[in-house]
Amino acid sequence: MNVLALPRTFRTLKHLHWSQLTMRAWRTAQRRLLRPKRLALDAAVHVNPQAFPTPPEFNASCPRGEELVEMLDRGELRLLNQTCSFGSGKWDWRLGQVDEHRLWTVTLHYHQWMYELAKVAVQPSAVGSNAMRLWTESLTDWLESCDYDQPGTQPLAWNSYAIATRLGWSIRSWRLLSGASIQLDPSLENRWRDCLYRQATHLSRNIEWDLRANHLLRDAVGLAWAGRFFDTDRSRRWLETAQRIAVQQAKEQVLDDGSHFELSPFYHLEVMDDWLSLAILLPHAECRQVMCKTWKRSAEYAAWLCHPDGKVAQFNDGAAIDAAATLAHGKAIGEGTSITPCQGGRHFPDSGVAVWRGEPWTIFWDVGDVGPDCQPGHAQADTLNIECSFKGQRLFVDPGCYSYDNNENRRYDRATRSHNTVCVDGTDSSEVWHIFRVGRRARPSDVQIHFDDTGLTGTATHDGYRHLPGSPTHRRQIQMDRDQKILISDSITGTGEHEVEGGWLLDPRWTATAVADGWTLSSGEETLQLKISSQQTLQLAMQPSPYHPDYGVEIQTIRLSWQYSGSLPLHVRCEVSP
């Protein structure tokens, strides 16, 4: 380890629970010192013949139907908006250490695409027959190449989160094919069943207490699927474990205002699907009731975090996905939530999000922590960041999240200077590093939020730059007036000479034209004036910048920025008006 990085490592580790540290040390020792051994089966593995309720299908990250069959015939597969070579006959499972397309690779091992393939395979047609052939070949090859004791399977293929997710899609596939009276080769069926059982056994022994958060909850979902599917003493213990984790994590992960404690709207929706699955799969009525109440509280929060286009804000990691499908899933547990009635203002003090939804403006303001201290892996250095829409169309956007590789895209997405906030001395307001790590964290303070019939008024401060010479502090004030004008004032106090930068990432549908004191913004018939003013001399610039509205998607857009070099304090006023 680099000695110079030791202080940063300490700042990262000091927030963790001791259980996380000891579990991570044990996993590291296991991985480096112990050779994988084939997991033993019980004397007899029985599948539960009784039907059990199945959760609704969630968002597919792959093609469907005939398109999926055609892609696989070409030796390609599209996951998370990226098409990669996958092979045919001898499939490329990307085993071993993977440094590029890590999220694509682990998604490959979720096997959701195999479930989509099975849905085509049950159709009585030539395409269905071809899909059945591809499904059989791919499963057979996966069982041979990716079983537990095969080289290179540990990092991603037998990652606990991947197993937990794969168990759900695999059991769906089993039940789908059985229900359609598809006769599999008995040898393949037995190998598949036994492998599923070994996966669940491995998951039960490797629950992600080191990572916690959404990973721990997904582990519970995987155990619940396996506990309902198999009929052994061990599988019944899996169900008990799933229930304990579910109830415990409902208390830990869902804050009092209904938000998920990782503070990412995207992962909030992901976790909602897990609460829903647990509400359906778990056998005990009291536990199911807890899951239903947790889902409903989460749904009320999600309904507020949507832009007029129906897609969630992109604070922290994740995609700007439509919330309607997730909210509609509530019908499966007798809950229905509409995203349309949320109008007016709402401050969520636990998540630290202030929301105004009205005409013509919709505004989301991040005035909270970057995430839970024990697991801020999906945090970005975006304290006091703002997203907004004008007349139903996004205007200022978050840079988003392209992938989870340790590369420039990841660093760009997490950096303060990529967000709609203020950066001092080129330093991130929170010390984000590597792929998921965070050292020093910005802490908001003096948060005051008020709403009236004109909109949102508020102030907030954070201390993310106090460690720099001169102890700079960023304070932001926002005000909406009756003329549909938004005023955003940034004050950076402290002493000494500093480089300060702020700016706004435009939605690609807007164009910007430079004028004397800012820019004219245009999209279709709509025009806005963005004016920047300060008593100090500022340099204004238009910079080509990437925008990542979804995983694997990059769109070029414009960042409108101001820069200052000189002594503090600095006061900058931004005015946006029709």
Side-chain angles (χ1 to χ4, degrees):
M1 177 182 292
N2 185 348
V3 175
L4 297 178
L6 285 176
R8 182 181 66 181
T9 301
F10 172 75
R11 291 191 293 269
T12 301
L13 298 179
K14 71 176 183 177
H15 299 281
L16 303 183
H17 300 307
W18 274 108
S19 61
Q20 291 177 279
L21 295 171
T22 55
M23 181 61 73
R24 178 50 62 94
W26 167 243
R27 290 197 194 285
T28 302
Q30 266 189 320
R31 186 170 60 249
R32 295 182 178 179
L33 301 178
L34 302 179
R35 294 183 62 186
K37 297 180 180 179
R38 191 167 184 83
L39 294 166
L41 296 173
D42 290 343
V45 176
H46 298 290
V47 173
N48 192 342
Q50 297 180 351
F52 59 89
T54 303
E57 297 176 20
F58 303 129
N59 298 331
S61 60
C62 61
R64 296 180 174 182
E66 191 170 345
E67 180 187 6
L68 175 59
V69 176
E70 291 174 352
M71 289 196 75
L72 292 172
D73 265 335
R74 294 197 304 268
E76 297 177 338
L77 181 60
R78 187 173 72 247
L79 300 172
L80 301 173
N81 304 299
Q82 291 184 317
T83 300
C84 294
S85 175
F86 184 39
S88 181
K90 188 61 179 177
W91 311 79
D92 181 6
W93 300 107
R94 298 170 181 254
L95 302 179
Q97 187 63 41
V98 178
D99 295 322
E100 295 182 351
H101 302 299
R102 294 176 71 256
L103 185 58
W104 193 98
T105 302
V106 75
T107 303
L108 170 71
H109 289 284
Y110 292 165
H111 287 188
Q112 184 181 13
W113 62 273
M114 290 185 68
Y115 172 68
E116 293 296 332
L117 191 59
K119 287 165 65 175
V120 184
V122 299
Q123 299 174 9
S125 65
V127 174
S129 298
N130 194 24
M132 191 69 232
R133 175 187 62 81
L134 290 166
W135 185 91
T136 303
E137 289 179 0
S138 59
L139 177 62
T140 301
D141 196 72
W142 191 90
L143 292 172
E144 292 175 354
S145 304
C146 302
D147 206 358
Y148 178 74
D149 54 356
Q150 294 299 311
T153 61
Q154 302 303 304
L156 296 180
W158 281 71
N159 165 285
S160 293
Y161 188 91
I163 292 173
T165 307
R166 184 164 62 239
L167 283 169
W169 292 115
S170 296
I171 293 171
R172 287 180 191 272
S173 296
W174 184 292
R175 298 185 70 182
L176 174 66
L177 295 172
S178 298
S181 300
I182 300 293
Q183 297 297 318
L184 300 180
D185 177 85
S187 175
L188 175 61
E189 183 173 325
N190 290 337
R191 289 171 60 202
W192 186 26
R193 178 201 60 211
D194 292 350
C195 184
L196 290 175
Y197 196 81
R198 284 197 298 272
Q199 290 178 54
T201 301
H202 180 77
L203 174 62
S204 70
R205 297 172 181 174
N206 292 272
I207 295 171
E208 294 170 281
W209 291 107
D210 53 337
L211 293 178
R212 305 180 75 92
N214 69 85
H215 278 247
L216 185 54
L217 191 63
R218 181 61 57 85
D219 293 350
V221 174
L223 291 176
W225 271 105
R228 294 304 296 265
F229 183 64
F230 291 105
D231 186 16
T232 67
D233 290 339
R234 185 183 291 181
S235 66
R236 283 182 278 277
R237 291 195 295 271
W238 297 337
L239 271 179
E240 293 172 0
T241 300
Q243 291 183 150
R244 284 197 304 272
I245 294 174
V247 173
Q248 179 193 70
Q249 293 307 301
K251 296 177 182 178
E252 177 176 322
Q253 296 195 29
V254 179
L255 304 179
D256 289 343
D257 61 12
S259 61
H260 182 250
F261 75 161
E262 289 188 82
L263 307 182
S264 156
F266 171 84
Y267 278 97
H268 182 94
L269 296 181
E270 289 278 294
V271 168
M272 280 180 63
D273 285 340
D274 287 342
W275 299 128
L276 187 78
S277 293
L278 291 165
I280 293 171
L281 290 170
L282 295 177
H284 292 307
E286 290 184 6
C287 187
R288 291 200 305 271
Q289 187 176 26
V290 172
M291 297 299 100
C292 290
K293 289 181 178 178
T294 302
W295 187 93
K296 185 176 182 180
R297 290 173 54 213
S298 301
E300 292 169 353
Y301 177 82
W304 274 95
L305 266 289
C306 294
H307 281 267
D309 61 9
K311 297 179 180 180
V312 292
Q314 273 190 282
F315 293 153
N316 287 326
D317 282 348
I321 61 171
D322 199 314
T326 299
L327 295 172
H329 289 151
K331 297 176 182 177
I333 55 173
E335 300 287 352
T337 303
S338 171
I339 64 173
T340 53
C342 298
Q343 295 292 318
R346 183 80 178 266
H347 177 211
F348 295 91
D350 301 298
S351 65
V353 176
V355 181
W356 172 260
R357 291 173 55 109
E359 288 293 339
W361 292 103
T362 296
I363 297 176
F364 303 94
W365 188 19
D366 184 354
V367 293
D369 290 331
V370 295
D373 278 341
C374 70
Q375 180 47 287
H378 287 300
Q380 298 181 359
D382 62 350
T383 305
L384 305 191
N385 182 34
I386 290 175
E387 284 188 37
C388 67
S389 289
F390 178 75
K391 291 191 175 180
Q393 181 173 300
R394 292 193 183 215
L395 175 65
F396 299 147
V397 295
D398 189 273
C401 186
Y402 185 80
S403 68
Y404 294 146
D405 295 334
N406 188 20
N407 58 20
E408 285 304 315
N409 270 331
R410 184 62 174 153
R411 286 184 280 275
Y412 169 83
D413 288 340
R414 301 184 89 195
T416 300
R417 68 194 318 164
S418 305
H419 291 83
N420 303 318
T421 184
V422 173
C423 178
V424 178
D425 293 339
T427 302
D428 291 326
S429 55
S430 289
E431 193 178 19
V432 293
W433 62 286
H434 206 261
I435 303 176
F436 296 114
R437 294 170 188 162
V438 185
R440 187 184 292 108
R441 294 101 195 263
R443 303 292 185 185
S445 62
D446 301 325
V447 177
Q448 301 180 39
I449 305 295
H450 304 285
F451 301 101
D452 58 26
D453 58 352
T454 64
L456 162 68
T457 301
T459 59
T461 304
H462 78 81
D463 63 358
Y465 303 120
R466 293 291 292 274
H467 64 285
L468 297 176
S471 300
T473 298
H474 177 205
R475 179 178 179 82
R476 170 164 279 185
Q477 181 176 4
I478 183 170
Q479 181 179 354
M480 300 172 63
D481 67 16
R482 296 184 183 277
D483 294 328
Q484 301 181 348
K485 184 186 302 180
I486 297 178
L487 304 175
I488 300 167
S489 300
D490 290 302
S491 299
I492 298 86
T493 56
T495 60
E497 300 287 311
H498 295 274
E499 303 285 335
V500 186
E501 176 185 349
W504 307 96
L505 189 67
L506 278 185
D507 183 278
R509 289 166 291 186
W510 291 84
T511 60
T513 303
V515 294
D517 54 355
W519 300 272
T520 298
L521 310 180
S522 302
S523 179
E525 298 179 354
E526 303 299 338
T527 301
L528 295 168
Q529 297 297 321
L530 172 56
K531 298 181 180 180
I532 305 293
S533 60
S534 175
Q535 292 183 344
Q536 288 91 336
T537 300
L538 304 178
Q539 298 295 322
L540 304 186
M542 296 171 56
Q543 304 160 330
S545 299
Y547 169 45
H548 302 138
D550 202 349
Y551 292 103
V553 175
E554 180 166 298
I555 305 172
Q556 288 300 312
T557 186
I558 296 294
R559 178 172 175 81
L560 308 175
S561 68
W562 54 262
Q563 294 95 29
Y564 168 77
S565 179
S567 60
L568 298 182
L570 169 68
H571 304 283
V572 178
R573 173 186 168 105
C574 171
E575 178 182 307
V576 189
S577 58

